[in-house]
């Protein structure tokens, strides 16, 4: 029946969006950890201020993109109607 098929498709798309949101959340945690390691590298004089600044700016952009993507995916999540 076409109604059942439509429900299965909707359910599948919801699971895919939830899985994608979970993967983005993991990426965000990894970016946060990267921030910590950048600070360690700077404090240990392994990288200089210019390198830290450049990498930190890039990281901030990545975090902004991931955060925006998470918000978009969550906004598009819809409850399944049965």
């Amino acid at each position: 029946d076409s109604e059942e098929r439509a429900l299965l498709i909707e359910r599948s798309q919801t699971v895919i969006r939830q899985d994608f949101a979970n993967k983005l959340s993991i990426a965000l945690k990894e970016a946060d950890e990267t921030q910590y390691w950048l600070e360690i590298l700077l404090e240990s004089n392994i990288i200089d201020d210019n390198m830290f600044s450049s990498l930190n700016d890039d990281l901030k952009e990545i975090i902004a993109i991931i955060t925006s993507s998470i918000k978009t995916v969550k906004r598009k999540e819809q409850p399944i109607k049965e």
Side-chain angles (χ1 to χ4, degrees), residues 6-18 80:
L7 187 60
L8 285 174
I9 290 170
E10 182 179 344
R11 192 175 282 147
S12 174
Q13 290 172 347
T14 299
V15 168
I16 290 169
R17 280 192 296 274
Q18 290 170 345
I80 299 173

Side-chain angles (χ1 to χ4, degrees), residues 13-66:
Q13 290 172 347
T14 299
V15 168
I16 290 169
R17 280 192 296 274
Q18 290 170 345
D19 186 50
F20 186 57
N22 288 337
K23 286 182 169 75
L24 287 170
S25 294
I26 292 168
L28 187 57
K29 289 177 188 174
E30 294 294 333
D32 288 340
E33 184 177 341
T34 300
Q35 175 66 46
Y36 167 77
W37 286 110
L38 283 176
E39 291 169 6
I40 295 293
L41 292 171
L42 179 64
E43 291 168 7
S44 302
N45 295 316
I46 295 173
I47 60 174
D48 62 20
D49 289 338
N50 290 334
M51 179 63 74
F52 174 81
S53 181
S54 175
L55 292 171
N56 196 46
D57 288 347
D58 291 344
L59 183 60
K60 286 179 184 177
E61 287 183 41
I62 291 168
I63 289 172
I65 292 167
I66 295 170

